[in-house]
Amino acid sequence: MINFLPVMYDDELLYSVIARYKQMCGMLSNQAMVKDIFGKLIIIKSTLFPKHLDAFVQNLPPTSKLTTKEIIMKHTMFPFYTSFLSEEKAQSIYEIMAEGKGRAVESLIGFGGSKVKIPIYLRYCPICFENDIKKYGESYFRRSHQIVGVLYCSKHEVLLKDSTVLSTESGFDFKCADAEVCDIAVLTDPFPTRIKELNLQYTHNAERLLKGDYPRKQLDFIISFYIDKLRSKGLASDNGNLYMNDVQEEFLSYFPDAYLEIMQSAIDPENPTNWLRFFVRSNNKNRSPLRHLLFLQFLDVDINELFQTTTVVGKRKIVEEFTPLFDINERRNMWLKIIEEHKGATRSELKEIGKGLHTWIFRYDREWYEKVTPRVKTRKPRTDPVDWEQKDEECLMLAKEAVKAILNKSGKPVRVTPWRIKLTIGARRWFENEKLVRTQQFLRESKEDISNYRVRKIRWAIDELSKQDGSITAYKVQLYAGFGGGENEVRELIERILGE
């Protein structure tokens, strides 16, 4: 049993508390410190999801009122990463953290197969760090600064910085948030105002999840909630089928490409299996809370509304009920009489002869109709009713007009591709018919060269940035155009264009 525990600061990671305890006691051996804290020797691999917390609480001084639940809810990342999991999954993770038995928490949350990775190092705000030193004589690692996707400190609105402390490692060397691993220098912000605004909104929502205790919802419920909101925006049909191309277009218009890249959620609009197309589908795969928050932000929905909603519709079958107005036997006799008087007639001919009656029988007595009505035995050879040569000419003109519209589109440029041309026209599957020879050839040849597309985006970004205050740098242009910061080839192209 330990004799004391340092005062736990608001929003402090348990890892940070243990690190301060180790420093206060002057311990050099991690193994001795862990055995002292937990009453037994265990392996600690995660700063975000500590385990064996029941043992930790039992080893505290008798006067301590600290509980396992308080530690998990206020000093670990559990509330954030389980917000969109079912009550059953969240409870399983809670029990593993409390008892220390079972699978790794990260695998249950879905880190292993997720494209959204947690930060490698523990992060901190340099202004918070400096203020802590002045106020407490020490600083600490905050949970809210470790949330995936958070770029800024919500209090001071400056960029977070990486410490030298790894967030996941086998056998930690517990380190305090001190001058050895942190400093007070504030980073220069390279991001445009729009990206900062989007991320601060995301950060505030993420912190509400971290500090709140929201009721868990089944994934099917959450998906149905999203469908209801998309339906209200005209992005889904009455029965809940999504207009996915429109959803994708709206989503990409709302979030800049560069921001989605930063948030590990970039979307290739021409990839039919990009993450957004599978996001609002019912399956048992975990979705990162980061992407849930992005989607709620796109829908302009307060997170409280999701968790306080008790009834959803989602997908539904729309069935029209009809009540027959005539006696069924009387109708049957009338139809049999028509068949008898017109032997050899096809179903189409009988339908024409018995207008109204055929509709009634077909709708209300379909099974009987199929039994007694003769089937067509011979068919006339079908002739193609479409003049494909003329249709090809019409489609070719539409495709050419679409290319002009794409190139003259206001706002951020989009690449001229066959998919984009068809989307602009609003063409359906028939537009891909191989009989539209010239149209198909034009679609293949009109695909914009990637270099030309990059130049268009760069010139657009330069024009947009020139309307804002401040200097125009190649790095700013690169981010604003949506290329990300690591494309050296693009950077050289930008510098060449700026030099002109």
Side-chain angles (χ1 to χ4, degrees):
M1 181 179 294
I2 62 176
N3 295 321
F4 78 99
L5 188 72
V7 174
M8 301 177 80
Y9 295 117
D10 178 50
D11 196 40
E12 183 177 14
L13 279 174
L14 180 62
Y15 167 91
S16 179
V17 179
I18 296 175
R20 291 192 295 112
Y21 171 82
K22 177 187 176 185
Q23 186 181 66
M24 288 178 182
C25 294
M27 289 187 174
L28 299 177
S29 169
N30 271 338
Q31 289 187 346
M33 187 271 300
V34 168
K35 191 173 182 179
D36 193 41
I37 284 281
F38 292 93
K40 57 184 178 181
L41 188 59
I42 62 173
I43 297 175
I44 300 176
K45 295 183 178 181
S46 173
T47 61
L48 309 183
F49 305 100
K51 297 163 66 174
H52 302 279
L53 297 180
D54 281 347
F56 172 73
V57 170
Q58 291 168 10
N59 205 39
L60 293 175
T63 55
S64 173
K65 297 181 180 179
L66 190 62
T67 65
T68 299
K69 182 176 181 180
E70 184 178 352
I71 294 173
I72 290 177
M73 297 304 296
K74 295 184 178 181
H75 299 282
T76 77
M77 302 303 291
F78 172 88
F80 176 77
Y81 282 101
T82 61
S83 294
F84 297 96
L85 300 181
S86 66
E87 184 63 40
E88 294 77 13
K89 283 188 178 180
Q91 184 60 32
S92 295
I93 293 170
Y94 182 97
E95 290 172 1
I96 289 173
M97 294 177 68
E99 300 170 8
K101 300 176 182 178
R103 296 165 56 190
V105 172
E106 288 84 353
S107 65
L108 287 174
I109 291 175
F111 283 175
S114 176
K115 300 292 185 182
V116 179
K117 306 298 182 183
I118 62 174
I120 298 174
Y121 296 95
L122 293 185
R123 296 178 299 169
Y124 67 97
C125 163
I127 298 180
C128 287
F129 175 75
E130 184 178 21
N131 291 344
D132 289 342
I133 299 298
K134 292 177 181 177
K135 185 175 181 180
Y136 306 116
E138 62 181 350
S139 189
Y140 61 96
F141 288 113
R142 290 163 168 80
R143 294 184 307 160
S144 54
H145 293 165
Q146 317 314 321
I147 298 173
V148 63
V150 169
L151 305 178
Y152 297 88
C153 170
S154 61
K155 182 177 181 180
H156 300 109
E157 298 189 358
V158 298
L159 287 171
L160 298 177
K161 299 180 69 174
D162 287 341
S163 70
T164 60
V165 180
L166 290 168
S167 63
T168 302
E169 187 180 17
S170 181
F172 280 112
D173 182 12
F174 287 83
K175 294 183 178 180
C176 296
D178 55 23
E180 184 181 340
V181 300
C182 306
D183 62 65
I184 61 174
V186 177
L187 293 173
T188 301
D189 189 352
F191 300 120
T193 302
R194 175 62 176 161
I195 285 182
K196 184 173 183 177
E197 290 173 347
L198 286 170
N199 194 254
L200 284 173
Q201 183 181 349
Y202 168 87
T203 300
H204 289 304
N205 286 333
E207 288 181 353
R208 289 165 68 187
L209 289 181
L210 182 65
K211 297 175 182 178
D213 188 9
Y214 291 99
R216 268 53 179 195
K217 303 285 187 182
Q218 293 288 345
L219 181 59
D220 286 345
F221 181 98
I222 297 173
I223 296 300
S224 294
F225 177 87
Y226 290 155
I227 291 173
D228 291 348
K229 292 301 175 183
L230 290 170
R231 184 189 290 114
S232 68
K233 289 178 171 291
L235 296 173
S237 64
D238 287 342
N239 63 7
N241 289 327
L242 304 183
Y243 304 139
M244 202 58 228
N245 286 339
D246 294 335
V247 173
Q248 182 173 271
E249 187 78 13
E250 293 282 338
F251 192 88
L252 290 172
S253 296
Y254 184 85
F255 290 113
D257 290 346
Y259 183 62
L260 291 177
E261 189 78 35
I262 294 165
M263 300 297 278
Q264 306 181 68
S265 299
I267 293 172
D268 178 0
E270 296 190 40
N271 183 354
T273 61
N274 65 54
W275 72 264
L276 181 61
R277 288 186 172 272
F278 284 92
F279 189 76
V280 193
R281 289 190 184 180
S282 294
N283 57 51
N284 292 324
K285 292 184 178 180
N286 289 344
R287 288 131 169 95
S288 170
L290 177 147
R291 289 181 176 173
H292 278 290
L293 289 178
L294 285 181
F295 204 73
L296 287 168
Q297 195 171 341
F298 159 66
L299 294 174
D300 194 24
V301 173
D302 189 284
I303 59 173
N304 286 333
E305 183 180 350
L306 167 61
F307 292 106
Q308 292 172 3
T309 296
T310 57
T311 305
V312 291
V313 177
K315 290 201 170 187
R316 59 188 177 186
K317 291 183 178 180
I318 300 177
V319 180
E320 296 182 14
E321 296 185 0
F322 298 94
T323 304
L325 300 177
F326 301 99
D327 179 73
I328 192 167
N329 291 323
E330 179 185 347
R331 302 266 98 182
R332 283 181 173 182
N333 290 332
M334 291 172 64
W335 184 247
L336 289 172
K337 185 178 180 181
I338 290 176
I339 293 174
E340 181 65 26
E341 292 177 351
H342 301 85
K343 289 182 178 180
T346 64
R347 287 191 172 191
S348 296
E349 291 168 340
L350 291 173
K351 177 181 177 180
E352 187 66 25
I353 295 167
K355 279 184 178 179
L357 175 62
H358 174 277
T359 302
W360 193 95
I361 290 286
F362 194 80
R363 175 177 293 176
Y364 300 115
D365 204 8
R366 177 71 176 272
E367 187 176 350
W368 179 84
Y369 166 86
E370 294 291 350
K371 289 180 180 179
V372 303
T373 309
R375 293 187 174 278
V376 177
K377 295 182 180 179
T378 58
R379 293 178 178 269
K380 294 180 179 179
R382 291 184 61 182
T383 57
D384 195 337
V386 179
D387 183 343
W388 287 104
E389 187 173 346
Q390 180 181 348
K391 195 73 175 176
D392 193 12
E393 184 66 28
E394 294 171 356
C395 291
L396 181 60
M397 291 179 62
L398 289 173
K400 289 180 178 179
E401 290 299 319
V403 170
K404 293 179 182 178
I406 294 169
L407 293 174
N408 295 325
K409 175 182 176 292
S410 60
K412 182 175 64 177
V414 294
R415 189 179 178 187
V416 179
T417 63
W419 177 85
R420 180 66 63 176
I421 293 171
K422 287 181 279 189
L423 180 64
T424 303
I425 295 171
R428 299 185 182 276
R429 193 173 293 277
W430 59 263
F431 201 81
E432 300 172 3
N433 196 299
E434 61 183 12
K435 294 179 182 179
L436 300 173
V437 179
R438 297 174 63 199
T439 302
Q440 298 307 326
Q441 183 180 354
F442 177 78
L443 290 176
R444 290 191 296 270
E445 295 174 350
S446 63
K447 184 173 182 178
E448 187 176 12
D449 178 75
I450 188 64
S451 298
N452 293 338
Y453 173 55
R454 285 175 174 174
V455 170
R456 284 204 301 122
K457 285 185 75 175
I458 291 167
R459 293 192 185 283
W460 167 81
I462 292 171
D463 288 342
E464 291 295 309
L465 289 172
S466 66
K467 300 173 186 176
Q468 304 175 11
D469 294 332
S471 60
I472 300 176
T473 65
Y475 188 61
K476 284 184 179 179
V477 173
Q478 189 166 354
L479 290 180
Y480 198 86
F483 293 115
E487 294 282 349
N488 293 331
E489 182 182 348
V490 172
R491 180 74 64 85
E492 292 174 2
L493 179 60
I494 294 171
E495 291 172 348
R496 188 163 64 250
I497 293 174
L498 283 173
E500 295 174 0

